Amino acid sequence: MSASPPRPAGLADPAVRGQVIAGLERLVWAPQAGVGDWDRVEAIAVLGQLADPAARAALLRVLRDGARRIVPRPLGRWLRDTALDALLRAPDRGAADRALAGYYNFVARLLHGRLERHLVFDDIPLLVRSGRAGLLARAYLLPLIGLLFGGALLIDWLTAPGGLLSGRGPQDLGIWIAGPLFFIALGLGIFNLHQVGLVLLVARWGRQLPLPGVPGAGAVVLAGGLAAAAAILALGVLGSGLALASGVPISGPPPVTYWLLLLPLLVLPCYILAHDLEAGARQGLRGPAGIGAILSATALRIASGVLYIVYILVAYAVTFLAQLLAGRPGGTATVLAGLWPFLLYLALAPVLVLPVLAGLGWLQAQWAPAPGPGGVP
Amino acid sequence: MSGDPGQVRATDDPRRPFAVLAGPGAAPPARGGLTLSGYVAVQGPIITGDVTLAVPQAAQQEDEYLQALAAVYSYWRTEYIPGSAQGPRPFMPGDTDLMQRRRAALRPAADPASDILCRRPVALLDAITLYPRLLLLGGPGAGKTSYLQYLALQWTAPAPPVRGLLPVLVDLSAWDDLGPFPDFVAAFLRDPPNPDPWPTRYVASPWLAEGLDPYLRAGRLLLLIDGLNELPGALGPKGAARREHLQAFFRQYPAVRAVVTCRTLDYHNELDLAGFQTVVVDPWSEAQIAHYLQHVGADLLLARLQARDEVLLSLGRVPALLQMLIDLAADYRPPAAAAAAPSFLTSESALFKALVDRLLEWAAARDQDAARLFPRQVVIAALARLAGAMRAAGYRGTPVAHAWAVAHLAGDPQALLAGVPAPAHLPDDPRQVLLDFGCEATILDTPATRTTVRFWHLTHQDYFAALALQQTGPALPAGAPLPDEVARLAAVMAPHPEVTVADLLASGQPRAALLAGQILVSAGGAGGR
């Protein structure tokens, strides 16, 4: 005959709390028959109310792996998002913030090969609502900025006199490989950085501003047009930038500089339209219309990435030439340091575009027909 | 003929369910309207294939109906417990999240089971403009009913979120027959189950009841349907029949906009195929609690919040419980130099106990004869018996026949008088007097016809049902299908909740850990500090 378990000493008995947490975890990950989906959601909410490191660890496990490993799949993502919400509402805010900072840490994500950029983007509205945008900035954006700087310094060191890629001969091959890789990495890194900023911007101000919306097939057509325009402009700027090598202007900034300034203005419209298309297409829209929307959104995302890469590359070329013409030729780091006006403009361009879009949205609202009897807007 | 709105036909376009054919002699609609090739879409009130309403008269009736709505729902929040906390308490919308379905696979034939469900913050008013039908899920006291009343109020404003809709708020717990849902709505509009003598919860509109069908067909109503979990006979065949009626209704009237509320754990996918988009009501955050406490000037509770009182942080997540705390704190006079928490702020059961005492005191001030007649403990025990009987019989949140309630208050009417001889002026069965006293206290609720009785709110019924469990035996009888709320409250009231938690965990029941966790939190065992 087995002995009965010892009676708990009281509610504060850590053993009782530990058993409850373990039971709730089992309920979330391996529910027995009779446990409903909403029971699992509620179990996560209860874990969020327990101010206990083990409960936080349990929530973090769901946050990290719930979307991939919990079945059924639709529920897995819902449970994962619920775990995030529970952590954001947890009574011990400091401990929850530390746990979340570890989760979003860019370097850790890079090392584990789990950048999950879209997942991070999706979390931003929840983080902004709970006043935790700063947490994402510290954990995700700052390390990303640090890596960009570190990469720039590394390239500067490699291409400096005496560096691994500085000489002639076999090193030329290294330069030809490392150069494009550097600009692609730098462009995509800044793309990632900037897109997080855009999501933060729209999550914070988007609801207050009457941003325009294009319904139905019109959005797909507009997206195609916008992606094509962005790609053509980017390629044109790239071609002009490369042509600089054969025709250095005598004085003043080369004409390509002005074209270059157009590229960042397209970033916000591309982002908003791609987001709207993805959201619309993923809300149960199936068949060719849904695929068209997703493909258009993907084209817009790719075009946006190309915009960033071309912008950085051509801005680098323009800056290099400007320094050369000024008689102050320097290494990679010097040129990159000279990029700051372009980077500042890139960062601020969406803020310039936002009022224009809000104005368009306002006009659209004024001209929109009144709702019909069904009240459908 | 001037003023003739013309012939009307239904269309297949859900955006424009009705069109007025501009035939010979047909005139433009009297209000609004957009002329398109061959027909005019009605934007104002209502003209249907079978019925032509006099438009100016309908517009006037609509205005009167909206004014009545505004009168009811703008004052309700200030009168929750009259005479206690002072000052206005406008509804503060809490966080709501959209359950957003996203495709994970591009193939047209991809299995929907591969989709994902994301949590996206959304304001409920925005969700209504985006989706015609919403299912609002939340825990007990999360503010679902208040949300519906708040929504109704929004449509009485000059610029509602979606133009042209008339909100109609109905309570599913009052659906006591087995007829079609539109018949229930019409009956509800004719004679809503308002408490007697006050306050008005629902607006009566015989005019709208008579002309309901055209409005439904035209998609002109915003149906605010409260309490899917309180559908009478929810667990039996009658409940199933009512659910089928509800589903049939939404199929029959595709243009109808609706918001349906349900307790989260009581939702069993009833409306999944009726085009509903799920929105969940989140518990309040610490910042929201602080904001509300500041707004109503609850300084005592604000101080406790700043001191990070664990019970307040836990109970305050539920707006209804926070409201109770505010009402109790308004009349609380702390002893000199006492830094301890007030007794009502020590656990959820202590909060309910203090609230019931407060309500009974208030009723005693209004009905001193009844108060002298029944000792308070007798009243509480009788209400617990009634709640226990209602739970056992499957009446959860729903009304019972008045005679049934009387019979279950006490087997022996004289026992209510605690041995004191009945006064000569006692007009009736003392159980009837006690029921009325419970209504005065806003613990019970009965309409003017006195045909039915129900508890004022399901949380009240659950509290008394938990008390009944305390009085009659073990808190958690093995295998009994107790509602979670009742089981949780009963365990929290027990002298040693930790024993119940341990027993639950050892029981091997599939949902045991969830209930154990809820008990732990409610009883103050969340721990950490």
Side-chain angles (χ1 to χ4, degrees):
Chain A
M1 196 176 83
S2 63
S4 59
R7 307 309 283 174
L11 277 176
D13 188 341
V16 173
R17 206 161 51 240
Q19 287 174 6
V20 167
I21 291 168
L24 288 170
E25 271 214 277
R26 278 195 299 276
L27 200 142
V28 170
W29 289 95
Q32 299 179 44
V35 173
D37 290 350
W38 287 108
D39 289 332
R40 298 166 79 181
V41 176
E42 182 65 16
I44 289 179
V46 172
L47 279 170
Q49 292 181 67
L50 298 173
D52 189 297
R56 275 193 299 279
L59 289 174
L60 267 179
R61 275 190 284 279
V62 179
L63 187 61
R64 285 205 170 94
D65 300 324
R68 288 185 304 159
R69 294 187 180 168
I70 291 178
V71 289
R73 187 184 157 91
L75 180 68
R77 175 61 189 269
W78 183 256
L79 291 177
R80 180 260 175 208
D81 286 3
T82 304
L84 172 61
D85 191 63
L87 278 166
L88 293 173
R89 293 172 191 279
D92 192 345
R93 180 171 174 151
D97 280 2
R98 284 190 293 279
L100 286 172
Y103 170 72
Y104 287 115
N105 187 280
F106 183 81
V107 177
R109 288 180 160 272
L110 200 60
L111 291 175
H112 289 98
R114 289 189 62 177
L115 279 178
E116 297 173 318
R117 199 165 54 87
H118 287 294
L119 210 54
V120 175
F121 285 5
D122 281 350
D123 289 348
I124 289 177
L126 280 170
L127 292 165
V128 168
R129 183 176 71 182
S130 63
R132 309 297 231 289
L135 185 151
L136 191 72
R138 288 191 300 277
Y140 192 85
L141 295 184
L142 286 181
L144 179 55
I145 292 169
L147 276 179
L148 289 174
F149 271 108
L153 291 174
L154 178 67
I155 282 290
D156 183 57
W157 177 68
L158 288 174
T159 55
L164 281 176
L165 302 176
S166 66
R168 293 283 174 189
Q171 289 91 336
D172 282 350
L173 183 61
I175 275 277
W176 280 106
I177 294 172
L181 276 181
F182 168 68
F183 282 109
I184 289 172
L186 189 64
L188 291 181
I190 290 175
F191 172 54
N192 197 352
L193 188 70
H194 202 220
Q195 293 280 306
V196 173
L198 287 182
V199 183
L200 283 168
L201 185 75
V202 175
R204 178 67 184 84
W205 298 109
R207 196 168 167 261
Q208 280 83 9
L209 295 171
L211 296 178
V214 186
V220 176
V221 173
L222 181 63
L226 194 56
I232 290 169
L233 185 61
L235 291 176
V237 169
L238 180 63
S240 303
L242 293 176
L244 278 177
S246 57
V248 179
I250 303 301
S251 63
V256 70
T257 309
Y258 303 109
W259 289 103
L260 188 62
L261 296 181
L262 289 179
L263 294 183
L265 300 179
L266 295 176
V267 164
L268 188 64
C270 283
Y271 164 75
I272 290 178
L273 194 53
H275 172 271
D276 289 354
L277 280 167
E278 285 172 348
R282 285 170 172 171
Q283 283 165 24
L285 185 59
R286 297 187 177 278
I291 293 176
I294 289 284
L295 290 179
S296 305
T298 307
L300 275 175
R301 300 279 190 210
I302 293 172
S304 297
V306 171
L307 281 182
Y308 282 92
I309 295 169
V310 169
Y311 183 79
I312 296 298
L313 180 61
V314 176
Y316 184 94
V318 168
T319 308
F320 174 76
L321 281 175
Q323 291 179 350
L324 193 68
L325 286 172
R328 296 183 278 104
T332 308
T334 310
V335 181
L336 287 174
L339 276 182
W340 70 266
F342 289 99
L343 293 177
L344 185 66
Y345 176 71
L346 177 66
L348 293 180
V351 181
L352 302 176
V353 174
L354 204 55
V356 177
L357 290 179
L360 286 174
W362 183 83
L363 288 175
Q364 186 186 33
Q366 301 306 307
W367 291 339
V376 180
Chain B
M1 189 175 75
S2 178
D4 179 0
Q7 300 296 310
V8 181
R9 65 171 173 78
T11 76
D12 294 329
D13 183 357
R15 292 172 61 92
R16 191 178 293 115
F18 279 85
V20 180
L21 296 172
R31 181 176 161 186
L34 175 68
T35 303
L36 296 173
S37 55
Y39 68 90
V40 177
V42 177
Q43 294 174 27
I46 291 310
I47 305 158
T48 76
D50 300 320
V51 181
T52 301
L53 301 176
V55 171
Q57 187 185 348
Q60 185 185 343
Q61 299 276 25
E62 288 180 9
D63 286 345
E64 287 173 4
Y65 175 70
L66 290 173
Q67 284 170 17
L69 277 177
V72 170
Y73 298 125
S74 58
Y75 97 75
W76 183 86
R77 289 292 297 182
T78 66
E79 297 290 335
Y80 184 51
I81 303 176
S84 56
Q86 301 298 313
R89 301 182 209 165
F91 179 68
M92 192 176 108
D95 293 337
T96 43
D97 287 335
L98 194 71
M99 186 183 249
Q100 187 182 58
R101 179 173 286 275
R102 287 190 185 174
R103 293 190 60 188
L106 276 177
R107 289 174 292 108
D111 183 0
S114 66
D115 290 352
I116 54 174
L117 292 169
C118 300
R119 184 181 277 268
R120 305 289 294 175
V122 69
L124 194 58
L125 286 175
D126 291 346
I128 286 183
T129 62
L130 290 170
Y131 304 97
R133 292 178 179 176
L134 294 178
L135 171 67
L136 194 61
L137 297 179
K144 301 182 291 296
T145 303
S146 302
Y147 248 125
L148 292 190
Q149 300 194 350
Y150 169 73
L151 288 177
L153 199 57
Q154 302 311 303
W155 263 267
T156 65
V162 179
R163 280 179 281 168
L165 296 180
L166 292 179
V168 173
L169 202 161
V170 295
D171 180 356
L172 282 182
S173 70
W175 191 0
D176 55 1
D177 63 18
L178 291 176
F181 183 67
D183 292 355
F184 160 66
V185 176
F188 195 97
L189 278 167
R190 268 190 292 271
D191 184 19
N194 280 315
D196 183 56
W198 63 265
T200 306
R201 279 180 175 175
Y202 306 102
V203 173
S205 177
W207 157 76
L208 189 52
E210 294 306 318
L212 189 64
D213 192 67
Y215 277 86
L216 288 171
R217 290 194 183 284
R220 285 286 317 280
L221 295 188
L222 173 63
L223 279 178
L224 304 169
I225 302 171
D226 196 18
L228 184 62
N229 56 300
E230 295 178 18
L231 205 57
L235 301 177
K238 288 184 177 176
R242 291 185 180 105
R243 279 193 292 274
E244 281 175 17
H245 277 310
L246 202 56
Q247 289 157 353
F249 166 78
F250 285 116
R251 283 195 301 271
Q252 187 184 352
Y253 295 97
V256 161
R257 283 174 170 257
V259 182
V260 180
T261 68
C262 187
R263 282 194 178 183
T264 308
L265 292 184
D266 292 332
Y267 180 64
H268 303 293
N269 306 81
E270 292 94 331
L271 298 177
D272 279 8
L273 298 178
F276 276 80
Q277 169 66 48
T278 303
V279 171
V280 295
V281 184
D282 294 315
W284 276 12
S285 64
E286 190 178 334
Q288 285 169 319
I289 298 171
H291 181 204
Y292 193 62
L293 292 178
Q294 280 171 349
H295 192 78
V296 300
D299 295 337
L300 171 75
L301 294 179
L302 263 177
R304 300 296 312 176
L305 190 69
Q306 282 158 3
R308 304 200 56 74
D309 184 306
E310 282 187 33
V311 178
L312 178 57
L313 281 168
S314 170
L315 298 183
R317 294 160 53 91
V318 182
L321 299 185
L322 185 63
Q323 189 67 63
M324 291 180 193
L325 286 170
I326 291 168
D327 288 319
L328 292 168
D331 291 339
Y332 179 72
R333 298 288 170 270
S343 61
F344 60 81
L345 199 50
T346 52
S347 72
E348 189 174 345
S349 59
L351 168 62
F352 272 108
K353 181 178 182 306
L355 179 80
V356 167
D357 282 343
R358 177 75 186 84
L359 293 172
L360 291 175
E361 278 170 19
W362 179 65
R366 291 168 61 94
D367 187 352
Q368 294 175 2
D369 288 346
R372 276 194 290 271
L373 199 57
F374 308 113
R376 183 164 300 175
Q377 286 313 311
V378 169
V379 176
I380 292 172
L383 293 173
R385 272 194 298 277
L386 175 61
M390 286 172 71
R391 183 196 63 74
Y395 295 107
R396 190 151 186 269
T398 56
V400 294
H402 198 273
W404 191 95
V406 166
H408 286 86
L409 271 178
D412 175 14
Q414 296 306 314
L416 293 175
L417 302 175
V420 178
H425 66 274
L426 192 65
D428 204 343
D429 184 337
R431 294 176 297 186
Q432 304 263 13
V433 181
L434 195 143
L435 270 186
D436 286 345
F437 187 64
C439 293
E440 285 286 3
T442 62
I443 293 172
L444 296 178
D445 175 2
T446 185
T449 56
R450 295 288 195 275
T451 51
T452 59
V453 175
R454 56 183 283 179
F455 275 84
W456 182 266
H457 194 274
L458 183 53
T459 51
H460 292 48
Q461 183 182 341
D462 286 345
Y463 169 71
F464 281 102
L467 270 183
L469 277 178
Q470 280 285 297
Q471 293 167 0
T472 57
L476 296 168
L482 275 180
D484 278 6
E485 287 305 301
V486 179
R488 180 177 63 79
L489 278 168
V492 172
M493 287 177 200
H496 297 288
E498 69 278 7
V499 175
T500 310
V501 169
D503 289 347
L504 269 171
L505 291 172
S507 71
Q509 293 174 26
R511 300 178 68 253
L514 178 56
L515 190 51
Q518 290 172 332
I519 293 169
L520 198 65
V521 170
S522 297
R529 277 180 288 277

